[in-house]
Amino acid sequence: MRWNEIGKFLIIAFAIIGGFCVYISPLASSIKQGLDLQGGTHVVLQAVDTPEQKVDDDAVNRSVKIIERRVNELGLTEPVIQRQGKDRIIVELPGVKDPEKAIGMLGRTAMLQFKDMTGKVVMTGNDLKDARAAVQNGAAVVSLEFSSEGGKKFAELTSRNIGKQIAIELDGQTLTAPVVQEAITGGRAQISGQRNVDEAEHLAILLRSGSLPVKIEVMENRTVGPTLGQDSKDKSVKAFAIGISGVFLFMLVFYRLAGVVADIALLLYVMLLLVVMRYLGATLTLPGIAGIILSIGMAVDANVLIFERFKEEMIKGKTIRSAMDSGFSRAIITILDSNTTTLMAAGVLFYLGTGPIKGFAVTLALGTLLSMFTAITVTKFMLHFLVYSGFTNKPFWYGCYGVEPVDTSAPVIKKPVKKEEPKTEVKEDIQEEPMDEEAKLAELKAKFAIKTPDDPAKPTKKYDIKPPADPAKPTKKFDIKPPADPARPTAKPADKEVNK
């Protein structure tokens, strides 16, 4: 057993588990939460044509910027202001305490005008530099500060109307009509008549943010109470805990030690996902939580593919080390293909969806990318340390049933192959009848006659096999006869018959 490999495995495992226990709660609470989790107001505004101003793309974009400034002046945490379609603006105000006040501020045009006695508009809100609520002599007022050009206009207006009234109107309603006592040249003025400081602050926000270029109407107003939001949050946390516990139990039952490695990698995956969402500024909603739980299942799916290939290699008779390497190399292509299709679907949802659908697409895409990292990298390294430590070589502890471990410590000795001995036929002694000599001779000839099969590479023609000729002797055949008896005369050859 290699204790250094076991030490590496235990260090990584305890670091991940400890980090999860310590940082999971602060990370979850630091992420922006949507209206469905913390409560708030959802408002849909629509720009409307007027005789003075028609709705166009530029007017809607400027309205979005002005509404964003007004919402930010309210001091709300993590508001959402976005354009929808051609002429609509969606505003989400999480945690707002007075929805009616916020809605009234959003849809108000806030067109500030200064008029003389004849009703002529001399100055507008564009000449303002700043507006602040203040208390003077126990009364709430709005202190105005003009720009350099606006200060000149206001000085000219007051100097020409000493002893006369000038009207300060907001959206056609007269806020105040003071009598000018003397020319005001300091570039500052005050609007009085507010009932309390809150009303003065409300007016100051409208004046600071500027007037809307077009008329805005409230098309939809939906409020989610904080109690309902907290209830949704509690149910989401419970669903998340049940889902991840079921996944952990499944991996432990079916894959044992390999399942332990996968579960530890999943804890790291959840932490990384929350960290990325926090630093990307993503908003966590109920669909977003659903996307996180779905991506956890997909992360386990990658581990299941790897472990099943691992088991297949062990069933083939490979060692655990060789089976692990082959399992990862065989499963990597399948994992990349499946996750690529998921990322394509998430991209379509993000491009075509709005609001919560985009939140679901973002969490699904982030979860898919991080799951590939944890399944391919973290799981592989931890399983490598565990297998190479020699902690156990039984395939049972890696989810493989009925497979005997391969002993790699002893040399492999092949079993000798036993040669089969030729079978001898045992014939029973049978008393044969007496045969005549000719029959016995024929039987012996048939028994000892040896026939060899014809070689297909050789011709089938039979040749007389003779000993090689002596090179010293002529190859011509001669009739060899015994020497003639010298006592006997040799016979003359008969004369050839000619012209028979």
Side-chain angles (χ1 to χ4, degrees):
M1 185 179 296
R2 299 179 180 178
W3 291 102
N4 58 338
E5 301 291 336
I6 294 180
K8 294 176 183 177
F9 175 81
L10 293 177
I11 290 173
I12 296 175
F14 284 120
I16 294 175
I17 295 173
F20 182 85
C21 296
V22 173
Y23 294 108
I24 188 64
S25 181
L27 281 174
S29 59
S30 64
I31 299 176
K32 294 188 297 184
Q33 298 178 0
L35 296 180
D36 47 5
L37 293 179
Q38 65 172 330
T41 301
H42 176 88
V43 183
V44 179
L45 305 174
Q46 185 171 14
V48 181
D49 290 331
T50 59
E52 295 81 12
Q53 179 67 47
K54 299 296 182 180
V55 177
D56 56 10
D57 190 68
D58 180 67
V60 176
N61 288 334
R62 285 190 291 137
S63 299
V64 171
K65 297 297 182 183
I66 293 172
I67 291 174
E68 185 174 356
R69 287 200 298 267
R70 293 181 181 181
V71 171
N72 291 334
E73 291 285 350
L74 290 174
L76 300 177
T77 58
E78 309 301 343
V80 177
I81 299 99
Q82 59 184 359
R83 181 176 176 178
Q84 183 184 45
K86 181 180 178 181
D87 55 358
R88 289 194 175 188
I89 302 172
I90 295 178
V91 182
E92 293 183 352
L93 307 175
V96 65
K97 297 180 180 180
D98 192 351
E100 295 300 328
K101 177 183 176 181
I103 294 171
M105 180 183 294
L106 295 178
R108 195 165 183 178
T109 306
M111 176 62 73
L112 182 67
Q113 293 177 335
F114 292 80
K115 296 181 179 180
D116 57 14
M117 290 290 292
T118 62
K120 180 182 177 181
V121 178
V122 180
M123 298 174 59
T124 64
N126 296 329
D127 296 316
L128 281 178
K129 181 180 180 181
D130 194 11
R132 297 290 174 181
V135 177
Q136 187 175 12
N137 299 326
V141 296
V142 178
S143 298
L144 304 179
E145 182 181 356
F146 298 103
S147 62
S148 59
E149 186 66 26
K152 294 178 182 178
K153 291 181 180 180
F154 190 68
E156 184 180 355
L157 174 63
T158 54
S159 61
R160 285 190 324 210
N161 293 276
I162 296 176
K164 299 178 183 179
Q165 285 185 326
I166 59 172
I168 302 176
E169 297 181 357
L170 183 66
D171 294 338
Q173 297 180 356
T174 302
L175 295 178
T176 181
V179 177
V180 180
Q181 301 295 332
E182 58 182 352
I184 303 175
T185 58
R188 295 179 180 272
Q190 289 182 349
I191 300 176
S192 58
Q194 282 67 46
R195 291 174 294 181
N196 49 46
V197 178
D198 290 337
E199 186 176 343
E201 183 65 33
H202 179 81
L203 178 59
I205 291 173
L206 291 175
L207 297 178
R208 284 199 304 270
S209 61
S211 61
L212 295 173
V214 291
K215 184 179 180 182
I216 298 293
E217 293 182 354
V218 178
M219 301 299 297
E220 180 185 351
N221 176 19
R222 184 173 69 250
T223 301
V224 179
T227 303
L228 181 59
Q230 184 63 38
D231 183 62
S232 300
K233 186 189 302 184
D234 294 340
K235 289 182 179 179
S236 301
V237 172
K238 183 178 180 181
F240 177 81
I242 293 174
I244 198 170
S245 299
V247 170
F248 281 12
L249 184 62
F250 173 85
M251 298 302 292
L252 288 174
V253 170
F254 282 89
Y255 298 105
R256 295 175 176 82
L257 287 178
V260 172
V261 174
D263 292 343
I264 295 173
L266 280 179
L267 295 179
L268 178 62
Y269 159 77
V270 174
M271 285 195 299
L272 290 177
L273 181 58
L274 295 180
V275 169
V276 173
M277 290 183 63
R278 181 181 184 276
Y279 284 100
L280 288 181
T283 301
L284 187 62
T285 60
L286 287 176
I289 294 177
I292 293 174
I293 298 175
L294 178 60
S295 63
I296 289 175
M298 297 179 63
V300 171
D301 179 65
N303 287 323
V304 169
L305 287 174
I306 293 171
F307 295 157
E308 287 299 322
R309 297 294 185 272
F310 187 11
K311 290 166 57 177
E312 290 174 2
E313 297 298 326
M314 285 192 291
I315 291 174
K316 291 179 182 179
K318 292 186 177 182
T319 63
I320 294 180
R321 297 181 183 181
S322 177
M324 181 193 68
D325 295 334
S326 300
F328 274 94
S329 60
R330 288 181 57 193
I332 184 67
I333 302 299
T334 306
I335 294 172
L336 290 176
D337 290 343
S338 62
N339 288 332
T340 300
T341 56
T342 304
L343 290 174
M344 293 172 61
V348 172
L349 289 175
F350 183 82
Y351 181 75
L352 299 178
T354 57
I357 302 300
K358 283 191 174 183
F360 173 79
V362 168
T363 54
L364 181 61
L366 291 176
T368 302
L369 293 174
L370 291 174
S371 67
M372 283 194 293
F373 169 74
T374 55
I376 296 174
T377 305
V378 179
T379 304
K380 183 177 181 178
F381 275 103
M382 294 189 66
L383 200 59
H384 172 88
F385 293 143
L386 184 61
V387 170
Y388 278 70
S389 67
F391 180 74
T392 179
N393 64 341
K394 294 183 179 180
F396 172 80
W397 291 107
Y398 297 95
C400 194
Y401 304 91
V403 177
E404 294 296 329
V406 179
D407 188 7
T408 58
S409 59
V412 179
I413 302 175
K414 294 184 178 180
K415 186 178 180 181
V417 180
K418 186 178 180 181
K419 296 183 179 180
E420 296 183 358
E421 297 180 357
K423 297 181 179 180
T424 57
E425 297 181 358
V426 180
K427 296 183 179 180
E428 298 180 358
D429 295 336
I430 301 175
Q431 189 175 2
E432 298 180 355
E433 297 180 358
M435 300 176 63
D436 55 1
E437 293 181 0
E438 294 182 356
K440 288 182 178 181
L441 182 61
E443 183 180 358
L444 290 174
K445 288 181 178 181
K447 183 175 181 180
F448 293 99
I450 301 175
K451 296 181 180 180
T452 58
D454 296 334
D455 189 355
K458 297 180 179 181
T460 57
K461 187 176 180 179
K462 297 181 179 180
Y463 295 90
D464 295 329
I465 301 174
K466 298 179 180 180
D470 189 355
K473 296 181 179 181
T475 58
K476 187 176 180 180
K477 294 181 179 181
F478 295 94
D479 295 330
I480 301 175
K481 298 180 180 180
D485 189 0
R488 295 178 63 183
T490 59
K492 294 183 180 180
D495 295 337
K496 295 181 181 180
E497 294 182 359
V498 181
N499 295 328
K500 282 185 178 182

